[in-house]
Amino acid sequence: MDEQAFSLRLAKLREKKGVSARDMSLSIGQNPGYINNIETGKSMPSLAGIFYICDYLGITPADFFDDDSEDPARLKDLIGYLKQLDSEQLKNITAIVKSLVKK
């Protein structure tokens, strides 16, 4: 993932969460323009900054960098529920998901 893709991914995930760049910046203890500067390509976060951003978004860094996942926070919640199901329930859910995907 290059810097531009990182910036776009951050903007997309932030917007999906329904929060402004300013509010997100302040919530993670940064100056009001911090997230906006990242999203516009003016700066990049440190490694610690990436961890703060991911924590705020409720995802892991692996989720953040998995750009095949459009809504990683919701996917993470779903996986948590799936882990509570027994084998038969998982079989039924798998059939439902396959019918929704229609590959």
Side-chain angles (χ1 to χ4, degrees), residues 19-72:
V19 66
S20 72
R22 182 181 192 283
D23 287 344
M24 183 174 173
S25 296
L26 295 173
S27 293
I28 61 174
Q30 298 294 326
N31 68 63
Y34 177 73
I35 296 297
N36 186 58
N37 286 339
I38 296 169
E39 291 181 356
T40 59
K42 294 178 185 172
S43 66
M44 289 296 292
S46 65
L47 183 57
I50 292 171
F51 288 129
Y52 287 126
I53 288 168
C54 290
D55 187 52
Y56 179 82
L57 294 171
I59 60 175
T60 67
D63 295 331
F64 184 93
F65 289 103
D66 178 11
D67 54 4
D68 288 335
S69 176
E70 189 172 316
D71 194 345

